[in-house]
Amino acid sequence: MPPPGRDRFARTDAPGVGVVGGGIAGLAAAVLLAERGARVTLYEREDSLGGRLAGWHTRLADGSTATMSRGFHAFFRQYYNLRGLLRRTDPGLDRLRPLPDYPLRHSGGLTDGFARVPRTPPFSALGFVALSPTFGWRDLAAMNPRAALPLLDVRVPEVYERFDSLAATAFLDRVRFPEAAHHLAFEVFSRSFFADPRELSAAELLLMFHIYFLGSAEGLLFDVPDDPFPQALWEPLGDYLQRLGADVRTCTPVCGVHPADGGRVAVRTEKALHRHDAVVLALDVGALRETVAASPDLGTPAWRDGIAGLRSAPPFLVSRLWLDRPVRADRPGFLGTSGYEGLDNISVLDRYEGEAARWAARTGGSVVELHAYAVGSDAHREQVQKLLLDGLHRVYPETGGARMVDARHEWRADCPLFPVGSHSRRPTVSTPHSQVTLAGDAIRCDLPVALMERAATTGFLAAGALLARWGVRGQVLWTVPRTGRSAALRALGAAGRR
């Protein structure tokens, strides 16, 4: 619960707040501040909102226009705060549609899914083990049950104190998880952090297990936008902000942020210096490092070193292909893959996205998207793109004879990395300047949230911290419980802490 306070500012005392970054975190902060009556200026360097979920128009070889983005994102049901943000313009979340399953396929032939897995803890985890072909009786007998006990009662933030010094792969090796389950389930989840599981903190892996299995009753089913991200999500939120009186400035990169006279904060753009009563920095890792480096009078030396030490995850690739024939009708909208030489998942966009479905209906073709996470920095890009295409042909052989009408390949390397031992050094929402806060999925947050939900949650927290200073109430936040939901499992988990 936020600290108590008045409902909103009066017009005569409304502060001016600059929000730097128009992704999920920045939009959450800007929306809350504007709803409370603050005079918000939102700075976004790109020409559209959405950050790493932005989209842009591209003209295909057949003359049609399509909206390209950085690829598939799952809107899980336990992303309560992100979904609360989206409800500002879509109260019934009608612009999200459910996908029936989260299937996983290994190149060795094993396939897992979550549609039939119970969603109520602890039956969710037990059901997954019972229904999964990756867990045989011999595998279960070979596991180290005592080493697995921490999975039964993940406590936030204690999980970081206990497991941040251990790699995700090392934890699974300690538990002696079956090799197939190791690759098919947990590797798929760890790579959703755009990281190699050998480098990812085990604490983040345990947190994910808690969020999706034993900490919530929503399971691993999720929704996806029914149209490209801009049309379905961000353009409505941008319009909502402007109706609240916010000044939304796209195509406006911020070059620096500086403490100013009278406790104010100056935001420096390429054209001017803009003074605000407070600022929220809601930037990706690289942009945050650059902005702080260009703001020499911001923060303490130790805080600045922490920002400079933030790391970006390895490069990832999104290949979107427009094919001249349909993918087989029984193929899922989304498929997680493992063992296919770097191919991490396949999406068939015309199964769920309106724009892609209309193109497919008009042409008789299909729109397919391929992801590769944590690509080696020395990898040859064209070779990786070919490997992904070869993987698609192995998984969905009917695509082997398809003609490619057009293709787009997006290479990026701007997601946060959570390596072993990094949690204590990560910056928090609060900074050495009481009038400057941070938000984003790289920002430390002692709540059980991750990925897009961490971005939305820290955005609301960053705005709430500023509002509390002015005696205005913030946002009520919802998360899965900070500890395991089952008393029996908590008791077993406690045994593992002895």
Side-chain angles (χ1 to χ4, degrees):
M1 292 291 292
R6 51 187 170 143
D7 289 343
R8 57 181 288 117
F9 296 103
R11 287 189 178 183
T12 55
D13 69 348
V17 184
V19 177
V20 184
I24 292 174
L27 286 168
V31 162
L32 178 54
L33 288 162
E35 287 175 340
R36 297 298 187 261
R39 294 178 286 106
V40 174
T41 303
L42 177 63
Y43 301 90
E44 168 55 48
R45 65 184 175 188
E46 304 296 336
D47 62 0
S48 59
L49 301 175
R52 297 202 300 272
L53 271 74
W56 57 94
H57 295 302
T58 186
R59 185 167 295 280
L60 303 181
D62 66 356
S64 61
T65 300
T67 306
M68 185 59 191
S69 70
R70 295 153 49 104
F72 177 90
H73 282 74
F75 289 70
F76 287 95
R77 310 279 170 80
Q78 52 272 72
Y79 287 0
Y80 310 121
N81 299 315
L82 173 58
R83 294 164 83 91
L85 174 65
L86 300 180
R87 287 183 190 277
R88 260 66 172 199
T89 63
D90 184 15
L93 296 180
D94 298 322
R95 293 195 289 267
L96 296 180
R97 65 171 55 176
L99 290 189
D101 198 1
Y102 186 168
L104 309 173
R105 176 172 167 177
H106 190 271
S107 58
L110 292 175
T111 301
D112 257 321
F114 296 93
R116 296 189 300 130
V117 174
R119 285 184 282 171
T120 303
F123 303 108
S124 49
L126 297 174
F128 174 69
V129 170
L131 295 170
S132 172
T134 62
F135 286 91
W137 288 111
R138 290 183 179 179
D139 296 318
L140 292 174
M143 288 175 60
N144 180 348
R146 185 170 183 82
L149 288 177
L151 289 168
L152 305 181
D153 184 23
V154 173
R155 295 169 179 261
V156 181
E158 181 186 325
V159 65
Y160 290 102
E161 299 167 6
R162 298 182 61 204
F163 294 102
D164 192 50
S165 61
L166 187 69
T169 301
F171 174 80
L172 295 177
D173 289 342
R174 178 186 294 180
V175 175
R176 297 198 294 268
F177 263 95
E179 191 68 18
H182 201 293
H183 289 291
L184 194 58
F186 284 95
E187 183 173 331
V188 170
F189 296 147
S190 67
R191 291 178 72 84
S192 69
F193 278 91
F194 301 89
D196 187 313
R198 293 170 296 183
E199 191 171 6
L200 179 70
S201 163
E204 295 291 345
L205 185 69
L206 268 72
L207 178 66
M208 282 192 290
F209 187 85
H210 175 70
I211 291 171
Y212 299 118
F213 279 107
L214 293 183
S216 74
E218 283 78 13
L220 269 162
L221 300 182
F222 55 79
D223 305 312
V224 291
D226 63 1
D227 254 324
F229 299 134
Q231 297 92 309
L233 309 177
W234 314 132
E235 290 171 5
L237 268 175
D239 292 342
Y240 175 69
L241 271 171
Q242 290 177 321
R243 290 196 302 272
L244 290 171
D247 182 4
V248 179
R249 301 183 184 182
T250 55
C251 300
T252 308
V254 167
C255 305
V257 175
H258 310 279
D261 294 340
R264 306 189 79 199
V265 186
V267 171
R268 178 164 48 89
T269 65
E270 293 175 337
K271 296 181 178 180
L273 199 65
H274 311 272
R275 286 178 171 77
H276 301 282
D277 295 298
V279 166
V280 177
L281 294 178
L283 299 166
D284 63 48
V285 168
L288 180 61
R289 285 196 306 258
E290 292 172 4
T291 301
V292 171
S295 311
D297 47 357
L298 188 66
T300 63
W303 180 81
R304 295 175 61 83
D305 288 345
I307 299 294
L310 289 173
R311 294 175 57 191
S312 298
F316 68 92
L317 166 64
V318 174
S319 289
R320 188 174 297 182
L321 317 174
W322 287 263
L323 306 179
D324 72 342
R325 63 193 64 184
V327 174
R328 213 171 72 192
D330 62 338
R331 302 304 192 190
F334 174 85
L335 176 71
T337 56
S338 180
Y340 290 96
E341 297 185 280
L343 176 65
D344 283 297
N345 57 60
I346 303 172
S347 304
V348 184
L349 271 71
D350 50 274
R351 295 282 191 269
Y352 58 85
E353 186 191 273
E355 181 183 274
R358 292 187 290 273
W359 185 89
R362 186 175 67 252
T363 64
S366 58
V367 186
V368 178
E369 189 175 272
L370 315 175
H371 284 207
Y373 303 138
V375 179
S377 57
D378 58 346
H380 191 280
R381 291 190 171 189
E382 289 187 359
Q383 183 179 9
V384 175
Q385 291 164 194
K386 183 180 183 302
L387 285 173
L388 262 60
L389 184 60
D390 292 343
L392 170 66
H393 295 162
R394 288 175 61 193
V395 180
Y396 295 163
E398 69 273 19
T399 64
R403 180 178 66 86
M404 201 178 299
V405 176
D406 211 334
R408 296 290 183 274
H409 304 285
E410 286 293 321
W411 283 91
R412 303 292 175 115
D414 53 4
C415 296
L417 181 66
F418 305 112
V420 174
S422 64
H423 180 260
S424 63
R425 301 191 301 272
R426 279 157 52 191
T428 61
V429 166
S430 299
T431 76
H433 295 278
S434 60
Q435 66 272 41
V436 177
T437 56
L438 303 182
D441 58 351
I443 303 306
R444 176 175 163 181
C445 172
D446 291 337
L447 293 172
V449 291
L451 302 171
M452 292 189 293
E453 179 69 350
R454 186 178 287 160
T457 301
T458 55
F460 287 132
L461 287 171
L466 297 177
L467 291 171
R469 291 182 57 241
W470 293 311
V472 175
R473 64 180 176 84
Q475 167 90 31
V476 175
L477 298 175
W478 296 87
T479 71
V480 302
R482 288 176 182 249
T483 63
R485 293 167 61 101
S486 165
L489 293 183
R490 287 199 302 271
L492 284 172
R497 290 194 292 273
R498 297 189 187 116

